Amino acid sequence: MPTALITGATAGIGAAFARRLAADGFDLVLLARDSDRLAEAARGLHDKYAVRAEVVVADLATDEGLKTAEDRVRNGVDLLVNNAGFGNKGTFLNVPLSDELTMLKVHCEAVLRLTHAGLPGMLDRGRGGIINVSSVAAFATRGTYGASKAWVVSFSQGVAADIAGQADGKVRVMALCPGFVHTEFHERAQMDVTGVPDFMWLDQDKLVDAALRDLRRGVQVSVPGAQYKAIVGLSRLVPRELAGKLSSRTGRKYD
């Protein structure tokens, strides 16, 4: 069976990827910080889908955790989903600098290091895929969060271009840019999203379906949902200063 490693695998988009990939017959490597939640998730997936569900406890905000993750990725995976991430409460000057630096470590350094750890083996085997979870915030003005997600998009596109033509095109790297999804993300960031209209919310499972379909098609930047495709397209036409004013306020209130 092919093997998929998912970071941030116990909740939200990561858990949705785990369910879908298990249903597709992938053995799983679930990576997160909380050992109890990991063990519970692994048991549930094994019992329901009869797949192997390995647990890796690692904090990607630490060098030790990153090395643990790198070592497991180098040991061989067919699909890597760099999903771990979080939001900080407040705007730039209202967030401790240490928290902003931690965000860059998880959103950027971890993505870079795990991609670097996984690609050589995939290219040697002639197959594999990497999905780096970004956000539609990558195309907006959203402080450190948006900047880190914009880096993920640019990085993923650059790596995809670097490996183009190798392994007969059977190794793919893609940035996934979802919009609003009901997960623990907003609660943990203490972000008030009550003003976000219903049509802006994406279903986790449909999002994963779209992501995997785009990966198979060789899409480099996947934006699930017609509403978000339209928003991203329009953002490129609106003057940058005006887009910045609008995007910095939308859905960005803190409790």
Side-chain angles (χ1 to χ4, degrees):
M1 287 187 183
T3 299
L5 187 150
I6 306 162
T7 70
T10 57
I13 294 172
F17 267 107
R19 292 191 301 270
R20 167 59 190 274
L21 292 170
D24 287 349
F26 278 76
D27 284 333
L28 302 175
V29 182
L30 309 177
L31 187 149
R33 295 178 299 173
D34 190 323
S35 58
D36 291 338
R37 290 184 75 179
L38 275 173
E40 181 181 358
R43 281 195 301 270
L45 291 163
H46 169 74
D47 292 346
K48 183 171 184 178
Y49 300 103
V51 297
R52 183 173 62 88
E54 177 185 345
V55 165
V56 177
V57 180
D59 183 352
L60 298 181
T62 68
D63 288 331
E64 180 183 4
L66 280 171
K67 185 178 185 307
T68 297
E70 284 176 304
D71 288 345
R72 181 58 189 87
V73 172
R74 286 196 186 98
N75 195 39
V77 296
D78 299 287
L79 177 63
L80 169 63
V81 182
N82 280 313
N83 167 72
F86 64 95
N88 285 324
K89 180 186 178 183
T91 54
F92 179 60
L93 290 179
N94 297 313
V95 175
L97 180 59
S98 59
D99 292 351
E100 296 282 72
L101 291 172
T102 297
M103 176 175 284
L104 293 179
K105 197 170 190 73
V106 174
H107 289 185
C108 301
E109 184 177 346
V111 169
L112 185 152
R113 289 174 62 170
L114 297 190
T115 299
H116 191 273
L119 266 182
M122 293 179 183
L123 291 170
D124 286 345
R125 292 188 296 274
R127 67 181 189 281
I130 297 177
I131 298 175
N132 294 324
V133 179
S134 178
S135 167
V136 291
F139 307 100
T141 303
R142 308 292 278 192
T144 303
Y145 180 83
S148 69
K149 293 303 187 180
W151 181 90
V152 171
V153 172
S154 181
F155 169 74
S156 301
Q157 288 180 296
V159 174
D162 285 345
I163 66 169
Q166 299 183 50
D168 294 326
K170 294 180 181 178
V171 177
R172 293 166 182 167
V173 177
M174 184 184 81
L176 171 62
C177 301
F180 286 105
V181 184
H182 286 295
T183 69
E184 296 177 1
F185 175 90
H186 301 102
E187 181 181 347
R188 288 180 175 179
Q190 298 179 37
M191 187 179 292
D192 179 6
V193 292
T194 55
V196 177
D198 289 344
F199 77 90
M200 294 295 288
W201 291 96
L202 297 173
D203 177 82
Q204 294 177 20
D205 296 323
K206 291 180 180 178
L207 184 158
V208 169
D209 289 346
L212 294 174
R213 182 170 59 249
D214 282 348
L215 183 68
R216 288 192 298 269
R217 292 171 52 215
V219 172
Q220 291 186 7
V221 180
S222 172
V223 181
Q227 67 274 53
Y228 287 107
K229 286 182 173 64
I231 289 170
V232 170
L234 287 171
S235 72
R236 294 175 174 140
L237 302 176
V238 175
R240 191 172 185 84
E241 184 177 348
L242 175 59
K245 289 179 180 178
L246 294 172
S247 65
S248 65
R249 301 188 189 115
T250 304
R252 202 182 188 203
K253 296 186 294 181
Y254 297 94
D255 294 332

